[in-house]
Amino acid sequence: MDDGIADNEIIRRVIQGEQNAYAELVTRYQNYVFTLVLKYVPRREDAEELAQDVFVKAYRFLSDFKGETARFSTWLYTITQNTCFSYLRKKRLPIDSLDDDKSRPGMEQLEWQAGEQRLEQQFRQNTIKEAMKLLSPSDTSILTLFYNAEQNLDEIAMILRIDPNTAKVRLHRARQRLKEKLEIHWSNEINEMI
Amino acid sequence: MNAPANMDSKLWDYIDGISPDSEKPAIEELIQTDSRWRSRYFNLLQIRELLQAQEPEVPSMRFTKKVMEEIARYNILKATNKYLNNKIIFGIAAFFLVLITGMLIYFFATANWGGGSNVHIPEFSNWNLSKYINTSVLQVVMFLNVILGLFLLDRYLGRRKRQLRSQKS
């Protein structure tokens, strides 16, 4: 995501007092930060506020970022993860309460909605998106970090503060769960896809 | 290797480019020769492509503007590692180094190097401790303790302040 000027160059300029340069970093990473926050905080208004907090925190602690040891995106996603966990703790919401299907509110409604959409659109992307909604926040965030946010296993380990091997295991489990959801809820579509 | 779960695991890693180099030729061969593996490979490849094609969520149009308005109220904080004054750390290290060196010098100076069997063990009861531990030494030790205490208190309060600030923001 280093289109144009490299992240580190922008950071250097921001630290030197060019505050407006920070807007470029916000524009570059806002979508993935927002996407990651949405995994934990489903209400878009809350998620947007939290994503803003992430960028404000990142700005204030920008001097702590060590460009030679990590990418800015990895550092930013670490702040995102920590901010989400603090928010959930403050709101006294369990961090991974959505791991279990039974504990997920509105699951049947979601399936019904997904079914409706499926009939209307027969849209592959939608199928994956809906299947992702049935996973726990930790599963979806690891899948998003790996497949969309271009983070490798070592970087994911850094973000989640876990061992790289644990990250690999978690990624594997998340993929398996996604596959299971696809097979259980959208087996026909999967067969059509392939 | 042929168990379904194992097959999926191997294929996912192969597709994602994280399988060990030693396993790659075997997996490639299985994909070429075994129809089950080939079918599963294309199945998982398709899911991976769909996963990668997922568009991220987009926040409101005013998002960047709101962030920029918010950060205008703040300054970038000094790097955390600069809170720790290296001179203090070196000072503490020097203190212990001098202490240990002094003890070693004393030990070697008073040791009896004369003979193996006649090792002279100093009798502690004969030591005149008041020669070494007097009011000035105690005052110096107390002073150093106060300095160390203040240093630790400063670190603790600094951390609390940062936590409160991050909770507010």
Side-chain angles (χ1 to χ4, degrees):
Chain A
M1 267 203 232
D2 280 8
D3 303 336
I5 312 165
D7 289 350
N8 287 355
E9 171 59 20
I10 297 173
I11 290 161
R12 194 186 57 78
R13 278 164 46 188
V14 176
I15 291 171
Q16 281 175 353
E18 209 181 309
Q19 199 181 52
N20 287 338
Y22 192 65
E24 175 60 29
L25 289 176
V26 179
T27 311
R28 265 181 207 183
Y29 295 105
Q30 61 180 4
N31 290 358
Y32 281 117
V33 167
F34 184 57
T35 305
L36 284 171
V37 174
L38 268 175
K39 309 288 179 206
Y40 294 95
V41 184
R43 263 193 64 197
R44 289 184 78 86
E45 295 81 12
D46 294 341
E48 196 161 318
E49 221 167 275
L50 219 54
Q52 276 174 38
D53 282 355
V54 170
F55 281 105
V56 173
K57 271 184 200 165
Y59 173 77
R60 298 187 70 202
F61 292 98
L62 209 54
S63 302
D64 278 340
F65 169 66
K66 294 174 187 71
E68 64 278 6
T69 52
R71 285 196 291 165
F72 176 70
S73 55
T74 307
W75 185 70
L76 189 66
Y77 299 146
T78 309
I79 297 175
T80 308
Q81 203 80 11
N82 292 341
T83 306
C84 288
F85 287 169
S86 313
Y87 175 84
L88 295 175
R89 265 196 293 269
K90 223 185 323 183
K91 294 271 172 190
R92 294 177 189 280
L93 294 170
I95 286 166
D96 228 354
S97 65
L98 308 180
D99 244 345
D100 182 5
D101 279 353
K102 285 173 199 162
S103 68
R104 184 157 181 126
M107 161 81 176
E108 285 172 10
Q109 192 189 355
L110 195 64
E111 279 178 39
W112 179 82
Q113 283 172 351
E116 284 289 290
Q117 285 169 351
R118 201 169 69 231
L119 288 169
E120 284 167 17
Q121 300 174 21
Q122 289 286 311
F123 202 25
R124 292 174 176 187
Q125 282 302 329
N126 213 30
T127 307
I128 292 280
K129 204 172 176 177
E130 291 305 320
M132 293 269 276
K133 281 183 189 170
L134 298 175
L135 297 176
S136 70
S138 62
D139 280 349
T140 44
S141 56
I142 205 165
L143 290 172
T144 304
L145 285 168
F146 189 77
Y147 290 107
N148 307 115
E150 297 166 357
Q151 302 293 301
N152 62 35
L153 283 174
D154 288 334
E155 289 169 330
I156 290 173
M158 206 185 284
I159 293 166
L160 302 176
R161 291 183 184 175
I162 52 175
D163 183 74
N165 285 327
T166 313
K168 191 176 177 180
V169 172
R170 281 205 198 168
L171 176 69
H172 175 67
R173 284 186 190 151
R175 286 181 309 208
Q176 278 303 111
R177 285 188 194 123
L178 176 73
K179 188 175 70 67
E180 281 163 22
K181 299 287 177 207
L182 285 167
E183 283 169 352
I184 293 167
H185 300 284
W186 293 276
S187 53
N188 293 338
E189 285 72 13
I190 291 296
N191 289 335
E192 278 171 28
M193 272 183 203
I194 298 150
Chain B
M1 202 164 185
N2 270 325
N6 199 20
M7 178 166 73
D8 276 2
S9 161
K10 300 274 179 202
L11 283 170
W12 272 123
D13 286 351
Y14 176 75
I15 290 167
D16 289 334
I18 53 175
S19 57
D21 287 342
S22 56
E23 282 184 9
K24 279 179 189 168
I27 296 167
E28 276 163 13
E29 202 185 322
L30 281 163
I31 294 167
Q32 299 272 326
T33 54
D34 190 321
S35 60
R36 268 178 58 245
W37 276 72
R38 191 164 49 248
S39 146
R40 203 73 190 139
Y41 169 72
F42 286 115
N43 181 331
L44 298 180
L45 197 65
Q46 181 89 46
I47 294 173
R48 184 187 193 262
E49 279 166 12
L50 288 169
L51 266 171
Q52 282 185 315
Q54 287 288 300
E55 289 293 325
E57 299 285 345
V58 181
S60 68
M61 297 282 277
R62 272 182 49 84
F63 186 84
T64 306
K65 201 164 175 255
K66 278 188 203 166
V67 172
M68 294 310 285
E69 280 169 5
E70 191 66 17
I71 64 162
R73 296 167 45 212
Y74 298 106
N75 289 320
I76 297 175
L77 297 170
K78 226 164 81 175
T80 316
N81 58 3
K82 286 183 184 156
Y83 287 126
L84 302 172
N85 191 341
N86 283 344
K87 281 180 187 168
I88 295 173
I89 294 166
F90 288 138
I92 295 166
F95 168 72
F96 283 109
L97 206 70
V98 167
L99 203 71
I100 292 164
T101 315
M103 282 170 73
L104 282 172
I105 289 170
Y106 173 78
F107 173 76
F108 284 113
T110 55
N112 181 9
W113 304 98
S117 57
N118 299 322
V119 177
H120 170 70
I121 301 168
E123 284 179 38
F124 289 96
S125 56
N126 293 343
W127 279 19
N128 185 8
L129 287 175
S130 60
K131 211 170 108 185
Y132 307 103
I133 303 171
N134 52 37
T135 325
S136 316
V137 172
L138 283 174
Q139 276 175 345
V140 168
V141 171
M142 287 299 285
F143 179 71
L144 283 170
N145 279 333
V146 169
I147 296 284
L148 278 171
L150 286 171
F151 172 69
L152 291 170
L153 186 69
D154 178 58
R155 281 194 67 181
Y156 171 73
L157 290 175
R159 201 182 305 147
R160 288 265 308 185
K161 202 174 163 187
R162 278 198 299 282
Q163 274 173 356
L164 285 172
R165 250 194 247 142
S166 63
Q167 275 172 10
K168 274 183 193 169
S169 61

